[in-house]
Amino acid sequence: MTERTGRDVLGEASPPPAQDVAEDAMRRLARIQPGEKGALFTSDLTVNEFLLVREAGFRPLDLVLGTSVHHVGLQLGRWSKNQELTKLSDAMYRARELAMRRMEAEASALGADGIVGVRLDIEFKEFGSDIAEFIAVGTAVKADGADPGPGGTWLNNKGKPFTSDLSGQEFWTLIRAGYAPLDLVMGSCVYHVAHQRFTQVLSNAGRNVEIEPFTQALYDARELAMSRMRAEGEALEAEGIVAVQLKQHTHGWGGHTTEFFAIGTAVRPLRDDHVIDRPTVVVSLDG
């Protein structure tokens, strides 16, 4: 099975494998003895999420994370043309991918079956407005009574722990409904929106009118991000992608350059029956 396909859609070469997990992290992971009596776990799940993940048949092992600090550069484009800035699109994708791989490596070192509640964030640093840290963090979990279905494993079809950005409540509902997460899938597109000519600005002054080049540019950029996320889902042979988010960030590039980022959880069926119990109404008999 192929790796994530966002880079391939861009026509760029695949990046080198992520560097080894940091030595400090490996020492921390080595001290953890998941499954041992009295072993301590850490998790950023809320109390309700933790209990529902346990109810779904999984136990938390530890908080896992990956990080990648990148210089977010510039790419020249034609001032008057709508166009994707492909080098920036690939750079933004690659940085997130490295963070995700390092988080997955920590989970694999723990023998985890998956990672739930994944957050994928970007933080720009004070020591440089063009230097950003890409962070992936989530709770590694191990199946504890949960049935993985006909495949016999909770690992995805790349042989790695599944990843999901679903909340604990959403994860519980997904498992109860007969579906399993495969992987977080994503697509990125950095796009330059053409500037209006001075005559165009004057002609639109005081009028309610659609600016068609802007409409088309934003439509095209969103479509590219969505199609790349979809391509990743297809490479995983997923049945679908749930909880899709389509985010827009300027990242300090200015008003005419923006990134559209699509992300969601690819899922597979655990069984043919996807019916869950209906909620039961409880009427209090107290006064």
Side-chain angles (χ1 to χ4, degrees):
M1 182 57 60
T2 58
E3 290 288 342
R4 298 182 190 275
T5 58
R7 294 175 303 273
D8 302 324
V9 176
L10 288 172
E12 301 285 345
S14 296
Q19 297 176 4
D20 294 338
V21 178
E23 292 183 6
D24 287 344
M26 291 304 297
R27 284 194 291 268
R28 172 177 59 85
L29 296 174
R31 291 195 298 268
I32 298 171
Q33 297 177 323
E36 294 289 334
K37 186 176 180 179
L40 177 73
F41 71 85
T42 61
S43 169
D44 59 351
L45 299 173
T46 66
V47 172
N48 287 344
E49 288 179 311
F50 161 66
L51 293 175
L52 285 171
V53 168
R54 291 293 288 126
E55 174 68 20
F58 293 84
R59 54 185 171 84
L61 299 178
D62 205 39
L63 201 64
V64 290
L65 62 91
T67 185
S68 174
V69 178
H70 262 62
H71 175 265
V72 181
L74 295 174
Q75 179 182 344
L76 297 178
R78 291 180 58 184
W79 186 82
S80 59
K81 181 181 179 181
N82 289 334
Q83 60 183 315
E84 181 184 12
L85 305 179
T86 55
K87 290 183 179 179
L88 282 179
S89 292
D90 184 66
M92 299 299 290
Y93 183 94
R94 170 188 164 85
R96 292 185 178 96
E97 174 72 359
L98 286 172
M100 287 286 294
R101 285 191 184 185
R102 289 164 183 161
M103 179 187 67
E104 291 169 354
E106 288 198 5
S108 294
L110 290 171
D113 289 312
I115 311 171
V116 299
V118 174
R119 302 192 313 276
L120 193 55
D121 298 324
I122 303 175
E123 294 181 2
F124 282 84
K125 300 301 182 183
E126 294 181 358
F127 44 79
S129 60
D130 52 358
I131 296 176
E133 181 183 18
F134 294 77
I135 309 165
V137 61
T139 297
V141 296
K142 185 76 174 178
D144 187 14
D147 182 3
T153 179
W154 286 100
L155 301 180
N156 60 33
N157 47 13
K158 296 186 296 184
K160 297 180 179 180
F162 68 77
T163 59
S164 169
D165 60 351
L166 300 178
S167 69
Q169 291 89 336
E170 291 169 330
F171 178 75
W172 176 86
T173 303
L174 186 75
I175 299 298
R176 286 290 299 271
Y179 288 95
L182 281 168
D183 212 2
L184 269 178
V185 289
M186 56 188 179
S188 178
C189 175
V190 179
Y191 208 89
H192 176 262
V193 180
H195 292 250
Q196 282 187 290
R197 294 184 178 87
F198 183 68
T199 54
Q200 292 174 314
V201 175
L202 288 179
S203 65
N204 292 333
R207 299 174 58 199
N208 292 326
V209 59
E210 181 182 18
I211 306 175
E212 293 185 5
F214 284 15
T215 299
Q216 190 62 48
L218 297 180
Y219 190 98
D220 290 346
R222 289 187 179 97
E223 181 63 25
L224 284 169
M226 290 286 289
S227 65
R228 288 164 185 165
M229 178 189 68
R230 185 182 181 90
E232 287 201 352
E234 291 172 347
L236 286 165
E237 299 178 1
E239 181 172 301
I241 306 172
V242 301
V244 171
Q245 300 178 64
L246 187 57
K247 305 176 182 180
Q248 182 178 359
H249 309 279
T250 60
H251 299 305
W253 290 316
H256 281 261
T257 298
T258 188
E259 181 196 25
F260 287 95
F261 179 62
I263 187 170
T265 296
V267 299
R268 64 177 175 90
L270 288 171
R271 60 178 192 265
D272 295 331
D273 172 19
H274 301 301
V275 178
I276 61 175
D277 296 335
R278 292 180 178 274
T280 302
V281 177
V282 178
V283 180
S284 174
L285 298 178
D286 295 336

